[in-house]
Amino acid sequence: MFHRFTPIIAAALAVALIQLSGCKDPEDNEPADTFDKEAMLTNLADNVIMPAYTQLADDANTLKSAIDALQADPSNTQRDVAREAFVTLQLQWQRCAPFEFGPAADENLRRTANTFPTDTAQIERNIREGNADLSTASNTDAKGLPALDYLLFGPRSQEGDWSADRLEQLSVNIDLLVEEFTTVNDAWQNSYRDEFVKNLGNDVGSALGQLVNELNYEFELVKNARVGIPLGKKSLGVPQEEKVEAYYAERSLDCINAALTAQQNTFKGGEGLGLDDYLDHLDARYGEGMLSAAIVEQFDECLSNTNAIASTLPDAILNSSGQVEELHTSLQNLVVLLKTDMPSQLGVQITYQDNDGD
Amino acid sequence: MVTSSWLHRKLFEPISIAPLVTFRIVFGSLMVASIFRFWANGWIEDQFITPSFHFKYFGFYWIPDPTSAVIYACFLMMAVAASMIALGLFYRYAAAAFFLLFTYVELIDATYYLNHYYFVSLVSLLLIFLPAGRQSSLDVALGWVKPLKKVSAWSIWLVMFQLGVVYFLAGVAKLNEDWLIHAMPLAIWLPTQAHLPVLGYLMEWWAAPHLFSWFGALYDLSIPFLLLWRPTRPFAYLAVIAFHVMTWWLFQIGMFPFIMIGATLIFFPASTHERWQRQLRLPVWGENVVQESSKRLQPVLTTVLALYVLVQTLFPFRNLLYPGDPLWHEQGYRFGWRVMLVEKAGYAQFKVVDATGGELWVDNSEFLTPVQEKMMATQSDFILQYAAHLKEHFEAEGISVERVSADVRVSHNGRSSQPYIDAEVNLASLSDSWTNKPWIKPLQ
């Protein structure tokens, strides 16, 4: 007889307990309506990710034209045109860097495009030996944006010392980037977008899982590679200011600003549905307020700490390290929100491996 | 003595071997499937070859890390041993080999601890001593062992007890405030499945996590008894299938649901098993041969069984000996059938300080895989092992390590992230033990 009444008793108990517990009262709880995850992913794909990649491919082509012109006329004027195009491309890269999944992961894009600090000795060797093959293992640290940074802004470029081989190395690097960026942009335009917006789970291979995990990965690169390491966090406090991103162009802080702004914008979904709305829908709290607001505010604090540094980043590291320490601390506080509070509220997985809930 | 002789009579009463035969075949086959699934997913590489460092269980620091050839050989031999268990070929040696290999693989890295792996280790240990290979097996067919029609009742009861423990203690573990009152962590997990067809809509319903939590607790606490009692058994088994299929669908829990669906068949009466085995044309040898058990050995066996039952019942409750919330500090947490109780994520920033006061911030991704990093940041024994590993690593690089400390923040069952340990404590000066770790901060 027991089995026949079990569900009834349990249901009655359930209703009673829900009333008693009171922590989820349907009356005053508006997130009862459903959240359209697909609409969020569609917004992110159409209004954040794809425009960023299209712009990236365009900016790479602009730099390629400028480098072609420099090859034809190695003057300071043409050099400055190329430099300007490079800075635009370097900053646009920051707006794509968090999306290292799907086509970008297939191309290993981050590694190819932006491994820094760059190996200048290897670049000089490539120039001397006329080496045009950047895919070899020895060139892992000697290609992409950091190589272009060195070639366009390094000491030889100041002197207008343009040998044919040096110009050729510039050309080989921008060709590589044009090819890679175009490939990734085309893949998003052709088929990956639809795959992305339909991939609605929360496992590590889902759109949300990849987005959250890669956003976090790129954010940690801001904290560690772009700020921490140059500040001496991995060298017992001894500054390694030459390890900043965009060292020769002296645009490290602009890169950090662009990276943080892009990451915040991804979190907010631009003007549309983003992770912030999803967290709000899930009623995710942080302390007294909403988690989404805490994350947006902490991004703002990181940005204002970045903007507060008046000199170049290497200069600040050597002469006013307190300001850089402050930036690093604010990044450290944000990484906690992004890597603990956000994923655990979203229930995002970091692996396909089996788990039993702990 | 009256009870004891009654107990003896009951324990050694001859009953049909058929349920044990089904169990042997089902368990062996599911293990073969599990091993191939694990292999095909590339997890041998991911879990045992890729990491440069492995977390160990307390007391098992000496377990050697395998080379890539050794670990693949282990899995190959495990698959062979599991097939031999299913076929009943050199059954006892196969069970022993499977137990040793499986347990060794589990002991390599505690990162991957799962309650159902522990369950598999225990069951394969028991199988060594159970006469499950004495009927419908190749050993019998080849005349290597004498066939049995009946075995002492304890051998089947022991398996039922083990299954009952898994369910019942998993139910007991759910009797906590987070689970019953706040419906945590299901209140986080269910809405993530809102996109699923049919059930998705239910997942978003405000009451769903509460209902799932309470039914889950009720299910775990009652199912062993409902399976034991004849009138409820068919309904209980339907509930077993429904429950496990549902959890398999909603969560990333691998083979466990199928292992439980297969294993709980043992609760069906011998006549049912005999019917199934006849339908499957499983050959049966011998005429009413009953397992002999020497009268002199019976008291010894009874004592051993009683001890096993006692340990299995009490050991999971050792967490009560530690102050604070065991779901937070996780001391005495493993090997206690605590499943699906916590959604948490942690972030651990380790700092190594040298003799001159220079501070080095550790990038965990240089030492750990993402899974290892996640597990380390929420488990205090891993934090200690990692600190010791960092000290060793940086001393080998010529740095005189004065202290290793860590700022660890953990978000636990929907709470805001909060400090998990005392960030000031020198972790390199501590070693693990079974005593309480006072440097774990209380849950706020």
Side-chain angles (χ1 to χ4, degrees):
Chain A
M1 291 309 276
F2 183 42
H3 64 271
R4 207 187 294 162
F5 291 112
T6 309
I8 302 165
I9 296 167
L13 208 71
V15 173
L17 265 172
I18 289 171
Q19 298 307 325
L20 281 175
S21 71
C23 68
K24 275 268 175 185
D25 194 335
E27 304 293 317
D28 55 31
N29 223 351
E30 83 283 16
D33 58 330
T34 56
F35 182 79
D36 191 349
K37 216 191 260 181
E38 190 177 336
M40 174 184 78
L41 296 174
T42 306
N43 172 55
L44 283 165
D46 292 351
N47 301 321
V48 178
I49 301 173
M50 292 186 3
Y53 276 127
T54 305
Q55 188 64 50
L56 185 72
D58 285 354
D59 289 347
N61 276 310
T62 308
L63 177 57
K64 182 176 165 45
S65 310
I67 285 173
D68 287 347
L70 180 65
Q71 252 179 329
D73 167 24
S75 66
N76 282 356
T77 320
Q78 288 303 339
R79 179 200 66 191
D80 291 346
V81 173
R83 280 179 169 184
E84 201 178 317
F86 169 79
V87 170
T88 307
L89 179 64
Q90 173 85 50
L91 296 180
Q92 186 57 30
W93 163 254
Q94 312 297 333
R95 296 172 194 125
C96 301
F99 312 126
E100 186 84 358
F101 47 82
D106 293 343
E107 297 295 314
N108 212 347
L109 193 62
R110 185 189 283 128
R111 194 120 186 71
T112 306
N114 198 31
T115 298
F116 65 93
T118 198
D119 183 349
T120 55
Q122 176 65 26
I123 296 172
E124 290 298 338
R125 195 171 310 123
N126 286 340
I127 293 168
R128 260 196 327 273
E129 294 168 5
N131 187 358
D133 181 9
L134 295 176
S135 65
T136 57
S138 55
N139 281 325
T140 311
D141 296 346
K143 63 183 169 188
L145 293 164
L148 288 169
D149 174 44
Y150 170 72
L151 291 166
L152 283 170
F153 292 87
R156 298 288 189 89
S157 74
Q158 308 292 7
E159 298 150 16
D161 175 7
W162 296 111
S163 67
D165 289 333
R166 186 165 292 272
L167 288 165
E168 184 54 27
Q169 196 59 211
L170 263 180
S171 176
V172 171
N173 271 287
I174 189 59
D175 285 348
L176 173 72
L177 290 182
V178 167
E179 188 194 320
E180 295 282 336
F181 294 163
T182 308
T183 305
V184 173
N185 185 42
D186 288 351
W188 270 93
Q189 301 289 341
N190 291 337
S191 61
Y192 189 72
R193 176 209 176 268
D194 294 339
E195 198 182 311
F196 179 79
V197 303
K198 297 276 182 215
N199 192 350
L200 297 174
N202 68 326
D203 56 87
V204 66
S206 66
L208 183 69
Q210 300 188 95
L211 189 69
V212 167
N213 289 326
E214 290 307 320
L215 182 65
N216 285 343
Y217 189 93
E218 185 62 27
F219 180 79
E220 275 210 276
L221 284 180
V222 176
K223 185 201 141 206
N224 295 332
R226 293 184 173 90
V227 179
I229 292 173
L231 189 55
K233 291 296 178 195
K234 280 183 75 175
S235 44
L236 293 164
V238 181
Q240 309 226 295
E241 76 286 354
E242 74 286 356
K243 291 194 172 169
V244 295
E245 188 182 23
Y247 175 71
Y248 297 97
E250 299 186 343
R251 292 303 193 110
S252 318
L253 287 168
D254 292 337
C255 286
I256 292 168
N257 184 310
L260 290 172
T261 307
Q263 288 160 22
Q264 187 187 35
N265 189 52
T266 304
F267 177 74
K268 291 202 285 194
E271 301 297 311
L273 283 177
L275 295 169
D276 58 341
D277 301 290
Y278 190 28
L279 285 170
D280 288 348
H281 164 74
L282 296 170
D283 200 27
R285 311 263 172 171
Y286 184 75
E288 299 297 305
M290 300 305 288
L291 176 58
S292 61
I295 290 175
V296 170
E297 274 165 33
Q298 194 58 37
F299 264 117
D300 285 341
E301 191 183 319
C302 293
L303 280 165
S304 87
N305 284 338
T306 308
N307 299 337
I309 300 169
S311 56
T312 64
L313 185 56
D315 205 43
I317 286 168
L318 295 175
N319 302 315
S320 49
S321 65
Q323 278 190 314
V324 188
E325 285 286 353
E326 211 169 311
L327 169 61
H328 190 255
T329 305
S330 57
L331 293 167
Q332 169 73 12
N333 290 335
L334 181 49
V335 83
V336 172
L337 296 179
L338 292 178
K339 286 199 83 172
T340 70
D341 293 86
M342 177 167 75
S344 71
Q345 291 284 355
L346 296 175
V348 162
Q349 303 287 331
I350 61 158
T351 171
Y352 278 118
Q353 291 161 24
D354 301 340
N355 72 63
D356 60 5
D358 172 25
Chain B
M1 277 322 277
V2 175
T3 32
S4 127
S5 70
W6 174 84
L7 186 65
H8 266 186
R9 216 171 45 243
K10 280 302 208 184
L11 283 175
F12 296 98
E13 185 183 20
I15 59 171
S16 166
I17 195 175
L20 211 50
V21 169
T22 307
F23 186 79
R24 182 198 86 214
I25 296 170
V26 168
F27 181 78
S29 312
L30 282 169
M31 287 305 109
V32 176
S34 301
I35 287 156
F36 282 116
R37 169 176 173 270
F38 197 94
W39 195 317
N41 282 332
W43 292 344
I44 300 178
E45 180 89 23
D46 293 349
Q47 297 192 2
F48 302 108
I49 300 173
T50 309
S52 60
F53 171 75
H54 290 296
F55 291 104
K56 296 288 188 242
Y57 293 95
F58 180 70
F60 289 94
Y61 298 144
W62 52 273
I63 292 284
D65 296 340
T67 62
S68 133
V70 165
I71 191 71
Y72 276 105
C74 280
F75 273 82
L76 190 64
M77 290 190 292
M78 257 196 282
V80 171
S83 329
M84 286 164 65
I85 290 176
L87 295 170
L89 178 64
F90 297 114
Y91 164 76
R92 208 150 269 207
Y93 299 100
F98 184 82
F99 164 70
L100 290 173
L101 289 163
F102 191 91
T103 307
Y104 164 64
V105 169
E106 289 326 299
L107 290 174
I108 294 168
D109 196 330
T111 306
Y112 314 114
Y113 172 79
L114 290 183
N115 284 284
H116 78 258
Y117 291 156
Y118 174 49
F119 172 76
V120 167
S121 271
L122 288 176
V123 166
S124 52
L125 172 67
L126 297 180
L127 279 181
I128 304 172
F129 303 100
L130 300 181
R134 298 288 295 274
Q135 189 52 270
S136 308
S137 64
L138 286 178
D139 283 345
V140 172
L142 296 167
W144 293 340
V145 296
K146 288 206 186 79
L148 282 182
K149 275 303 237 333
K150 289 180 186 273
V151 292
S152 300
W154 66 263
S155 54
I156 290 172
W157 289 1
L158 189 56
V159 179
M160 290 180 176
F161 164 76
Q162 192 62 64
L163 284 162
V165 161
V166 173
Y167 281 118
F168 189 74
L169 293 191
V172 171
K174 291 183 172 70
L175 304 179
N176 65 70
E177 190 187 327
D178 274 11
W179 184 274
L180 294 173
I181 308 295
H182 305 296
M184 279 292 175
L186 291 182
I188 291 175
W189 290 341
L190 293 188
T192 64
Q193 306 299 335
H195 60 283
L196 290 178
V198 194
L199 266 186
Y201 188 72
L202 178 68
M203 298 297 117
E204 287 255 283
W205 183 37
W206 60 272
H210 289 85
L211 292 176
F212 274 66
S213 293
W214 298 333
F215 277 117
L218 201 65
Y219 168 86
D220 281 343
L221 289 170
S222 61
I223 204 74
F225 307 104
L226 299 179
L227 281 169
L228 277 172
W229 198 34
R230 209 172 68 86
T232 51
R233 190 177 297 127
F235 305 96
Y237 193 69
L238 283 180
V240 168
I241 296 175
F243 177 85
H244 287 299
V245 167
M246 181 90 105
T247 56
W248 168 73
W249 198 36
L250 288 176
F251 310 116
Q252 217 167 287
I253 51 178
M255 291 296 289
F256 178 68
F258 304 104
I259 293 172
M260 292 311 264
I261 289 173
T264 43
L265 286 173
I266 202 167
F267 284 91
F268 281 94
S271 54
T272 313
H273 285 274
E274 281 160 2
R275 198 176 66 240
W276 292 336
Q277 289 167 14
R278 265 199 311 278
Q279 282 163 354
L280 293 170
R281 306 198 185 281
L282 219 57
V284 177
W285 287 280
E287 291 296 325
N288 258 340
V289 217
V290 174
Q291 183 183 18
E292 301 279 341
S293 66
S294 110
K295 283 270 183 277
R296 268 194 318 162
L297 276 180
Q298 283 188 3
V300 181
L301 193 55
T302 313
T303 315
V304 173
L305 286 175
L307 273 175
Y308 185 82
V309 167
L310 197 70
V311 169
Q312 281 297 315
T313 314
L314 292 182
F315 190 60
F317 289 102
R318 71 196 183 285
N319 65 339
L320 298 175
L321 302 173
Y322 297 96
D325 186 344
L327 293 183
W328 168 252
H329 61 63
E330 292 208 2
Q331 299 184 91
Y333 191 85
R334 296 185 196 112
F335 313 112
W337 315 115
R338 278 172 271 272
V339 291
M340 312 306 280
L341 294 179
V342 180
E343 164 62 46
K344 60 181 177 180
Y347 185 78
Q349 177 61 65
F350 276 75
K351 290 165 200 169
V352 174
V353 180
D354 78 350
T356 66
E359 204 178 71
L360 197 149
W361 289 43
V362 177
D363 181 353
N364 296 329
S365 66
E366 286 173 25
F367 300 91
L368 306 174
T369 63
V371 186
Q372 288 181 315
E373 187 184 347
K374 181 184 163 90
M375 291 299 173
M376 180 276 292
T378 57
Q379 292 175 52
S380 56
D381 55 340
F382 290 0
I383 289 173
L384 281 185
Q385 289 181 39
Y386 186 48
H389 178 64
L390 290 175
K391 182 173 157 65
E392 198 182 349
H393 172 88
F394 286 110
E395 280 182 342
E397 285 200 342
I399 295 168
S400 63
V401 176
E402 224 26 31
R403 51 187 288 117
V404 178
S405 60
D407 185 358
V408 185
R409 310 292 179 94
V410 173
S411 165
H412 184 270
N413 273 352
R415 295 173 184 85
S416 304
S417 53
Q418 52 179 300
Y420 184 57
I421 65 166
D422 181 356
E424 299 304 315
V425 76
N426 181 7
L427 297 164
S429 70
L430 303 174
S431 53
D432 203 359
S433 75
W434 275 358
T435 57
N436 182 44
K437 296 179 174 66
W439 43 273
I440 302 177
K441 295 245 188 183
L443 177 65
Q444 302 292 323

